[in-house]
């Protein structure tokens, strides 16, 4: 029994149309029917979509304060369901329902599925109605902040405390943030929901009035990263949360990273994990694309987290990105964040009324305390309001709550060999930046800085009066407006470490200018250390195939507190290692879906060349010099994906070959597209994961030209296999999986009908192409295409578009491609994901580009779209802007203007320009250019024959321009043919190698008769 199917029928829908679930506007009677359907469901008979819908409706109707949790949602169902499931199992079903319904999961540094399920319900109407005054004041205060992330207001007690205590949690903050952003952006996302309730309508009206009155301001950007300590049923967990905004201006990103911003893509890493990529948009702003889906749980190491970016193959350290770390060795101050959650505070004062101090057991106080265990160590936690004093032997410290707090950054001067340390490292002087509670920079005249060496008997001196800082550990005292805070730095002055000899199994390093600071490096079971004066010899133990990712060490000066650090590993040579440092054997097949944690090692001082190619289609090679000795393999993912798609993504033999070369030494590896493959048993209608060490959620996508609803159907798992759906009409399926922790199944076609006639793939794809060309947009094939797009999308199951022949047919001709682009575009709410992610992925996968479409075919497709949807003339601009945005995304805005008839200045493609191109590419790249090139009707005054070595790079954009101009030719770049597919891939490669030359050549041809 399925309530959701009844709901679809009630709304005259054959399948879910992508709306947020609150837009179904369930009545109280509907909600009761949904609850009853779930409460009396039998085992294995719950429609997962019903579970997802219940989460959303529970949030809207039942939530009434406190941190929402799975137990509260599940227990509210009642009935017999509790005998068959528990709250975690029901949540798992709801997640599957969200997958089936195509939810766009909230993605930050991890995927927030629980929060997404709730917020599909829109707003917690019951709770807001009961606390309307608090919510109105809170929303108005947030509106005034004009936030770009929730971190722009959640650290301000005067704003947060406007909410009832029971509402102070992340989910409410996220929800209110979305409301405020939609109002500031003058969007109507929540209008229907807000209008549905008298109280909400009043709140919405007041917010919109105020939004029209406030003046926008430029926010000073500063990293807003914080540690949260969660206390749930006796389990203590500390995790890092990154307060990164979804969009940054160029200046804001420069402020966040502390570097000049000039390039298009910046890969951001924490402790060698790719966290996100900042990618330049056509607007000039930078979008944050999250990659790593892990929660950054603290492991007890009090070293400051290592942050860096990789840009154009170069590693650039971001030393001050994470300025504080938890500690089990020192007292730390924590501020109230939400129910059972506390936030780590830098300093001794918190602006919040409630605070807590976490200390080792050696620190005591008269205040009440509790003993908690963190990372297997007992600690003392003391909650307080107002003032708390703690003591250890003769030392005492005072902590305050409810005071005007401040934050600060001490600029790190950490040497290149030091990856991270347990305190900021300086080289002679202190450079400090202090911020108030609104993140405004405070002038140095408004606070005092005092310092003293970290030793018994030392006394405080005002920093501004000192000419020299002593070596070693320095205590710092900061005083502002009667509030005192403490910090600590380590002054190493000129101390340095040189790597004298490096190899994969041995190394020699020298300590220079230590000036009395002792250097200790720690051995592990994998390597030994031999010390001779200032020289340290390190050697991997025989039989060990593990390379330390870092070397741990400590700097000490007498009895002072030591600086503990992680040093870059001097074991350097040609290899690929996993996150534990194990050397990956060349026979190991790596997976494109799981490159995280793998690192590419090279030998410093040697010319190291990485060459990537496709095992089946060897025509295209991408070669790069490797600059850092240690580089995450994921940093080359774009190139690896591009090469993987040179051959059929559904071919089990398709591999990307990775070759590292240093002099005459070579190492070769292979990378597959997927981590799992499928075994089929046609006799009993089951499938199983081949050689799988872990399970995946499998889904069957029905394949039948006559059906419209191609919603994936979850497969039931029985022991070691999965049962295929039983359907009288549908006998053919594509089996896919969700992506879990980097693991994903290669999609597989399964037919359980032996009577199906075999059709040659090219003929089958051509038939689809003709049908797409000749059919109206209400034909089943167009509805199928739209449903399949949702499945393939990055926000869906993230599988190749080439999984389905309907997409392979888009290269049939320019007319089909134009119709598909516009039809998919007008049916997408999320234009950013479409233009910035899915379209580029589709083009790489299918081996063509939408910008090749002819002007005439764009015009005809636009007319078809307008006629079909009965759009008004004034809507023409909105549709054309989608094409414009797409062209801008690829740096082709000038080409779009030329297509629209605008005259623009064109750089002539002459001998000098082509000679310059050859010089920039260099002999190594030129020697590896593919042989097959498109044919063109003429050369448009471009000296093609004089530069035959680069004729592919010249003829490719000429062929594209001729396609745009619709020049009659015997050899078009469109069509269903394996040889044409190679030509199209080579044209794409030409654009990849030199996008500026490619663009200028197209413009040259478009402006030449």
């Amino acid at each position: 029994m399925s309530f959701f199917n009844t709901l679809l029928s009630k709304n005259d829908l054959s399948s879910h149309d992508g709306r947020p679930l609150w837009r179904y506007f369930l009545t109280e009677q509907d909600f009761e029917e949904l609850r009853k359907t779930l409460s009396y469901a039998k085992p294995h008979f719950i429609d997962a979509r019903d579970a997802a819908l219940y989460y959303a409706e529970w949030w809207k109707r039942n939530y009434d304060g406190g941190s929402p949790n799975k137990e509260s949602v599940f227990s509210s169902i009642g009935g017999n369901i509790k005998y068959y499931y528990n709250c975690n199992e029901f949540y798992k079903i709801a997640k599957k329902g969200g997958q089936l319904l195509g939810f766009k999961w909230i993605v930050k540094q991890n995927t927030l599925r629980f929060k997404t399920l709730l917020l599909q319900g829109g707003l917690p109407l019951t709770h807001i109605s009961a606390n309307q005054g608090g919510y109105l004041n809170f929303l108005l205060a947030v509106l005034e902040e004009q936030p770009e992330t929730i971190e722009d207001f959640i650290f301000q007690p005067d704003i947060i405390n406007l909410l009832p205590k029971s509402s102070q949690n992340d989910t409410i903050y996220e929800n209110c943030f979305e409301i405020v952003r939609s109002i500031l952006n003058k969007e109507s996302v929540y209008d229907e929901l807000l209008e549905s309730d008298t109280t909400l309508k009043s709140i919405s009206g007041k917010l919109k009035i105020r939004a029209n009155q406030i003046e926008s301001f430029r926010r000073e950007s500063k990293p807003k990263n914080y540690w949260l300590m969660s206390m749930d049923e006796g389990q203590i967990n500390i995790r890092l949360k990154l307060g990164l905004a979804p969009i940054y201006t160029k200046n804001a990103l420069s402020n966040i990273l502390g570097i000049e911003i000039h390039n298009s893509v910046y890969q951001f890493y924490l402790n060698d994990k790719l966290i996100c990529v900042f990618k330049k948009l056509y607007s000039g702003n930078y979008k944050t694309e999250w990659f790593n889906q892990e929660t950054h749980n603290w492991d007890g190491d009090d070293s400051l987290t290592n942050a860096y970016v990789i840009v154009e193959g170069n590693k650039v350290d971001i030393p001050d990105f994470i300025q504080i770390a938890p500690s089990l060795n020192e007292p730390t101050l924590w501020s109230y964040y939400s129910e059972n959650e506390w936030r780590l505070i830098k300093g001794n004062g918190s602006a919040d009324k409630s605070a807590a101090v976490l200390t080792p057991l050696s620190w005591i106080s008269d205040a009440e305390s509790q003993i908690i265990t963190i990372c297997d160590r007992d600690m003392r936690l003391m909650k307080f309001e107002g003032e708390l004093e703690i003591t250890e032997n003769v030392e005492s410290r005072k902590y305050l709550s409810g005071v005007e707090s401040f934050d600060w950054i001490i600029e790190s001067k950490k040497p290149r060999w030091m990856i991270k340390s347990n305190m900021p490292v300086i080289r002679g002087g202190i450079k400090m930046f202090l911020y108030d509670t609104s993140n405004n920079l405070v002038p140095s005249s408004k606070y005092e800085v005092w310092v003293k060496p970290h030793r018994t008997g030392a006394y405080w001196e005002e920093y501004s009066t000192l000419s020299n800082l002593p070596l070693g550990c320095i205590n710092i005292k900061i005083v502002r407006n009667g509030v005192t805070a403490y910090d600590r730095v380590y002054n190493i002055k000129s101390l340095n470490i040189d790597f004298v000899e490096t190899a994969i199994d041995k190394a020699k390093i020298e300590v220079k200018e230590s000036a009395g600071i002792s250097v200790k490096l720690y051995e592990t079971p994998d390597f030994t250390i031999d010390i001779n004066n200032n020289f340290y010899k390190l050697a991997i133990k025989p039989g060990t195939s593990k390379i330390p990712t870092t070397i741990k060490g400590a700097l000490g000066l007498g009895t002072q507190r030591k600086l503990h650090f992680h040093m870059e590993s001097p074991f350097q040579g040609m290899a690929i290692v996993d996150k534990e440092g194990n050397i990956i054997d060349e026979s190991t097949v790596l997976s494109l879906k799981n490159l995280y944690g793998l690192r590419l090692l090279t030998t410093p001082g040697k010319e190291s060349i990485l060459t990537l190619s496709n095992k089946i289609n060897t025509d295209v090679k991408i070669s790069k010099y490797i600059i850092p000795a240690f580089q995450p393999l994921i940093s080359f993912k774009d190139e690896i994906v591009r090469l993987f798609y040179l051959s059929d993504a559904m071919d089990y033999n398709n591999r990307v070959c990775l070759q590292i070369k240093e002099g005459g030494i070579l190492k070769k590896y292979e990378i597959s597209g997927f981590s799992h493959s499928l075994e089929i048993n046609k006799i009993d209608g089951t499938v199983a994961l081949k050689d799988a060490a872990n399970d995946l959620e499998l889904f069957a996508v029905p394949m039948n030209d006559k059906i419209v609803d191609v919603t994936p159907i979850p497969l039931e798992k029985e022991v070691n296999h999965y049962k295929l759906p039983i359907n009288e009409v549908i006998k053919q399926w594509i089996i896919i999986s969700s992506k879990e922790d980097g693991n994903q199944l290669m999609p597989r076609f399964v037919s359980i009908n032996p009577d199906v006639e075999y059709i040659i793939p090219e003929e089958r794809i051509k038939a689809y192409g003709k049908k797409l060309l000749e059919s109206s947009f209400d034909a089943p094939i167009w509805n199928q295409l739209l449903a399949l797009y949702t499945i393939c999308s990055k926000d869906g199951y993230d599988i190749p578009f080439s999984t389905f022949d309907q997409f392979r047919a888009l290269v049939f001709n320019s007319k089909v491609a134009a119709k598909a682009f516009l039809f998919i575009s007008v049916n997408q709410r999320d234009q950013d994901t479409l233009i910035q992610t899915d379209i580029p992925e589709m083009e790489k996968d299918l081996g063509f580009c939408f910008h090749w479409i002819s002007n005439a075919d764009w015009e005809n497709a636009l007319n078809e779209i307008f006629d079909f949807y009965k759009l008004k003339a004034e809507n023409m601009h909105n549709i054309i802007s989608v094409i414009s945005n797409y062209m801008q995304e690829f740096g082709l805005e000038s080409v779009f203007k030329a297509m629209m008839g605008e005259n623009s200045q064109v750089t002539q493609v002459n001998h000098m320009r082509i000679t310059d191109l050859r010089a920039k590419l260099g002999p190594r790249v030129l020697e590896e250019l593919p042989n097959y090139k498109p044919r063109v009707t003429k050369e448009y005054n471009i000296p093609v024959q004089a530069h035959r070595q680069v004729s592919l790079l010249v003829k490719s954009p000429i062929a594209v321009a001729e396609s745009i101009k619709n020049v009659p030719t015997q050899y078009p770049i469109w069509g269903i043919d394996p040889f044409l597919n190679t030509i199209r891939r080579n044209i794409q490669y030409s654009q990849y190698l030199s996008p500026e030359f490619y663009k200028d050549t197209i413009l040259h041809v478009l402006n030449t008769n």
Side-chain angles (χ1 to χ4, degrees), residues 208-402:
K208 288 180 178 179
I209 290 170
R210 183 61 190 134
N212 290 326
Q213 296 170 341
I214 60 177
E215 294 183 12
S216 60
F217 66 89
R218 179 181 169 186
R219 178 177 296 280
E220 289 296 323
S221 298
K222 169 181 172 289
K224 301 181 183 71
N225 313 305
Y226 53 106
W227 295 92
L228 279 187
M229 177 168 57
S230 301
M231 308 166 121
D232 189 13
E233 296 182 355
Q235 296 294 316
I236 312 297
N237 168 271
I238 296 176
R239 66 190 187 278
L240 176 65
K241 299 200 74 171
L242 302 175
L244 295 174
I247 299 286
Y248 286 106
T249 64
K250 180 181 176 180
N251 286 336
L253 184 60
S254 179
N255 290 338
I256 287 290
L257 299 180
I259 59 175
E260 290 293 322
I261 300 295
H262 301 292
N263 296 88
S264 298
V265 175
Y266 291 81
Q267 299 177 344
F268 178 73
Y269 293 81
L270 283 182
N271 291 342
D272 292 332
K273 294 178 182 176
L274 176 62
I275 303 302
C276 63
V277 171
F278 300 109
K279 186 177 288 186
K280 191 175 183 179
L281 304 176
Y282 49 80
S283 63
N285 293 333
Y286 285 78
K287 179 184 180 183
T288 306
E289 292 186 358
W290 293 94
F291 273 78
N292 199 297
Q293 303 301 291
E294 295 181 12
T295 300
H296 302 292
N297 289 323
W298 187 56
D299 61 2
D301 182 0
D302 59 2
S303 297
L304 296 170
T305 305
N306 174 40
Y308 61 89
V309 296
I310 289 181
V311 53
E312 292 193 332
N314 294 294
K315 179 181 173 183
V316 182
D317 285 323
I318 311 296
D320 301 313
F321 191 77
I322 308 290
Q323 268 283 305
I324 187 172
S327 177
L328 300 179
N329 301 307
E330 289 284 330
T332 49
L333 178 64
W334 299 76
S335 175
Y336 178 86
Y337 181 76
S338 69
E339 187 179 10
N340 298 322
E341 286 190 313
W342 299 81
R343 176 172 64 93
L344 180 60
I345 296 291
K346 197 171 185 181
N348 289 45
S350 167
D352 293 275
K353 183 181 178 183
S354 300
V357 173
L358 180 70
T359 74
L361 296 182
S362 57
W363 288 84
I364 59 174
S365 171
D366 294 335
E368 290 185 12
S369 65
Q370 64 182 111
I371 306 301
I372 61 174
T373 304
I374 303 175
C375 298
D376 298 322
R377 181 167 167 182
D378 287 344
M379 300 288 290
R380 192 186 309 279
L381 183 71
M382 292 168 273
K383 300 175 185 177
F384 72 97
E385 290 185 5
E387 182 179 308
L388 175 72
E389 188 169 0
I390 62 173
T391 59
E392 182 193 50
N393 299 326
V394 296
E395 185 178 355
S396 68
R397 295 189 186 180
K398 186 181 291 185
Y399 294 89
L400 302 172
S401 71

Side-chain angles (χ1 to χ4, degrees), residues 10 41 117 180 202 242 258 297 306 329 462 472 478 542 610 615 654 679 720 764 802 810 818 827 834 903 911 989 994:
K10 183 178 177 181
L117 288 168
V180 166
S202 171
L242 302 175
N297 289 323
N306 174 40
N329 301 307
E462 193 164 0
I478 309 161
L610 170 70
K615 187 177 182 179
N654 189 5
E679 290 181 333
N720 294 321
R764 188 173 64 244
S802 58
L810 299 192
N827 284 284
L834 170 78
N903 293 323
H911 279 290
Y989 183 53
S994 184

Side-chain angles (χ1 to χ4, degrees), residues 744-880:
Q744 191 173 28
L745 172 74
M746 171 178 276
R748 180 75 185 270
F749 175 77
V750 177
S751 175
I752 52 177
N753 186 354
D755 301 325
V756 174
E757 180 185 355
Y758 176 77
I759 303 173
I760 297 171
E762 283 79 11
E763 294 304 317
R764 188 173 64 244
I765 295 168
K766 282 180 183 176
Y768 275 124
K770 289 178 181 177
K771 196 178 288 187
L772 287 166
L773 181 63
E774 297 164 1
S775 300
S776 172
F777 290 124
D778 55 2
I781 189 170
W782 283 105
N783 288 305
Q784 284 182 359
L785 189 77
L786 195 59
L788 295 175
Y789 167 84
T790 301
I791 293 170
C792 295
S793 169
K794 207 72 172 176
D795 288 338
Y797 292 82
D798 192 14
I799 60 174
F801 290 92
S802 58
T803 301
F804 303 104
D805 288 342
Q806 289 91 330
F807 284 107
R808 293 175 184 253
L810 299 192
V811 299
F812 180 70
N813 64 26
S814 173
K815 297 181 181 68
V816 169
K819 288 180 66 174
F821 181 94
L822 293 176
F823 178 71
I824 292 171
S825 299
V826 298
N827 284 284
Q828 299 307 308
R829 286 191 176 93
D830 186 356
Q831 292 289 317
D832 285 346
T833 299
L834 170 78
I835 298 298
Q836 296 157 14
T837 306
D838 289 338
I839 291 296
E841 195 74 16
M842 188 186 297
E843 291 184 339
K844 280 188 289 190
D845 181 2
L846 301 174
F848 83 105
C849 295
F850 287 105
H851 70 260
W852 301 349
I853 294 169
S854 76
N855 271 342
D857 292 336
W858 278 124
E859 186 176 344
N860 291 333
L862 281 165
N863 289 333
E864 281 193 60
I865 284 286
F866 266 73
D867 290 343
F868 179 76
Y869 287 105
K870 297 180 173 57
L871 299 174
K872 296 178 181 178
E874 54 264 28
N875 296 124
M876 176 69 81
H877 173 75
N878 295 333
I879 305 298
I880 292 176

